[in-house]
Amino acid sequence: MKNSLAVLVRVMEQAVRDGIITLNPARVVGWQSEYQKAEDELDDPRSLALTDWTALTALADALVERSYQQFAGWGSVVIFAAATAARIGEVSGVRVKDIDPVNWIWTVRRQTTPAPGGLIDKGTKGKMARRVPLIEEVRPIVAQRLLTAGPDPNARLFTGRGGGRISTAVLRDATHWDEVVTKLGYEHLRRHDLRHTGLTWMADAGVPLHVLRIIAGHGSLMTTQRYLHPDL
C-alpha cells in the first residue's frame, strides 16, 4: 500500500506542476495511523467476539452446510481458528510436525499469504515462532486431522476441499461466508473475528496477560490489554 501510494504521489505531483490538476489526490493524510490501528486490532475487539462455544459450532455447521458438497473441513478450520486465536493464514500453515499431541501444544511457525502467482507460505507476522495451547474441546479435531494427514511430518493439517492452501478469501468464497453470517445475525463478523473470539474467551477465562500476549503474538502489551474486560 505504501509503495503504491508513493508512486501515485510522484505522478500526481508532476500533474500539479504541469497545471493539469490543482490538488494531488494521492496525498492521503492519516492513512498510516488508521492502517496500523486496523493491523493491531480494533479499539474494542471484544465487541467482535462470538458469545460462546454453542454460537461457534452453530456457525461452523452452517458454513459446512452451505459449502459445496458440505465439506466438513471448513468447520474444522473455523473451530480451530477460534479455539487457538489464530489467523486463517496461520491455520493454513499448520504442518503435522508443528503439533505436539502429548502436551497438546501447537508451535506456530508459518502462515499462508497471497503473493504474485498464488498463495505462498512464509514466516509468522511477528517473524517469530510461538506456542499455542490446544484446549480440550479442539483436541478431537486435531487428532482426527493428524490421522488423516498420515505420517508425513510436512503434511498440512488443514486444506481446502481439493487439498490446496487456505486463505481468508478462499474460506469466504467456499462457504458463502457473508451470506451465512448475515442469516445467523452476525452481519459484522469477518474471518479475522474468530481470532478476536479466541483471545476474548481466553482473557475471560483468566489467562494471564503476559501469557495471552505470547499466544496472540502481539508486539505490544497494549494491544493485548484490549481483550481484558473493562471492569478488570
Side-chain angles (χ1 to χ4, degrees), residues 7 32 56 61 108 118 141 160 166 183 186 190-191 198-199 216:
V7 173
Q32 288 173 301
L56 173 62
D61 291 343
V108 187
I141 291 177
I166 299 169
K183 187 175 181 180
Y186 305 134
R190 308 163 303 160
R191 277 72 58 201
L199 291 173

Side-chain angles (χ1 to χ4, degrees), residues 159-221:
T159 64
R161 192 177 62 85
R165 293 180 176 97
I166 299 169
S167 70
T168 184
V170 168
L171 176 61
R172 177 198 64 211
D173 296 341
T175 62
H176 300 269
W177 176 282
D178 294 337
E179 173 190 322
V180 171
V181 298
T182 299
K183 187 175 181 180
L184 291 175
Y186 305 134
E187 292 87 353
H188 68 281
L189 198 72
R190 308 163 303 160
R191 277 72 58 201
H192 194 68
D193 294 335
L194 297 171
R195 174 170 163 84
H196 295 315
T197 294
L199 291 173
T200 298
W201 290 358
M202 291 179 191
D204 288 350
V207 174
L209 186 61
H210 68 282
V211 176
L212 192 63
R213 177 187 177 186
I214 294 173
I215 292 173
H218 287 152
S220 168
L221 195 62

Side-chain angles (χ1 to χ4, degrees), residues 9 19 52-53 60 68 78 108 110 114 122 127 158 169 175 177 188-189 196 208 226 228 231:
V9 167
D52 52 33
W53 188 262
Y68 180 65
V78 167
V108 187
R110 68 193 68 78
K122 67 176 187 179
K127 311 302 181 186
F158 299 98
T175 62
W177 176 282
H188 68 281
L189 198 72
H196 295 315
R226 296 173 184 171
L228 296 180
D231 294 339

Side-chain angles (χ1 to χ4, degrees), residues 14-227:
Q14 185 61 48
V16 171
R17 288 194 291 270
D18 292 344
I20 299 173
I21 57 178
T22 58
L23 185 67
N24 187 337
R27 285 198 177 277
V28 183
V29 178
W31 74 266
Q32 288 173 301
S33 62
E34 289 300 311
Y35 182 72
Q36 188 63 47
K37 182 187 295 184
E39 281 286 280
D40 290 342
E41 320 294 11
L42 302 178
D43 285 333
D44 183 19
R46 291 181 58 88
S47 65
L48 302 174
L50 291 168
T51 54
D52 52 33
W53 188 262
T54 300
L56 173 62
T57 54
L59 171 63
D61 291 343
L63 292 169
V64 169
E65 180 65 26
R66 188 63 181 82
S67 68
Y68 180 65
Q69 295 186 343
Q70 289 78 54
F71 178 57
W74 297 125
S76 299
V77 167
V78 167
I79 292 175
F80 184 85
T84 57
R87 302 174 179 91
I88 297 300
E90 293 171 339
V91 176
S92 178
V94 184
R95 306 292 177 90
V96 169
K97 63 184 179 182
D98 300 330
I99 302 295
D100 175 0
V102 176
N103 298 304
W104 293 107
I105 296 291
W106 167 33
T107 302
V108 187
R109 294 188 173 94
R110 68 193 68 78
Q111 62 177 333
T112 298
T113 60
L119 297 172
I120 63 168
D121 289 342
K122 67 176 187 179
T124 61
K125 183 178 177 182
K127 311 302 181 186
M128 294 179 62
R130 67 182 192 274
R131 302 173 73 200
V132 175
L134 299 173
I135 62 173
E136 188 172 349
E137 289 80 359
V138 80
R139 292 174 191 175
I141 291 177
V142 175
Q144 181 58 51
R145 297 308 307 165
L146 288 172
L147 285 174
T148 303
D152 182 2
N154 291 310
R156 292 181 183 276
L157 215 63
F158 299 98
T159 64
R161 192 177 62 85
R165 293 180 176 97
I166 299 169
S167 70
T168 184
V170 168
L171 176 61
R172 177 198 64 211
D173 296 341
T175 62
H176 300 269
W177 176 282
D178 294 337
E179 173 190 322
V180 171
V181 298
T182 299
K183 187 175 181 180
L184 291 175
Y186 305 134
E187 292 87 353
H188 68 281
L189 198 72
R190 308 163 303 160
R191 277 72 58 201
H192 194 68
D193 294 335
L194 297 171
R195 174 170 163 84
H196 295 315
T197 294
L199 291 173
T200 298
W201 290 358
M202 291 179 191
D204 288 350
V207 174
L209 186 61
H210 68 282
V211 176
L212 192 63
R213 177 187 177 186
I214 294 173
I215 292 173
H218 287 152
S220 168
L221 195 62
M222 291 181 63
T223 301
T224 312
Q225 284 176 325
R226 296 173 184 171
Y227 291 93

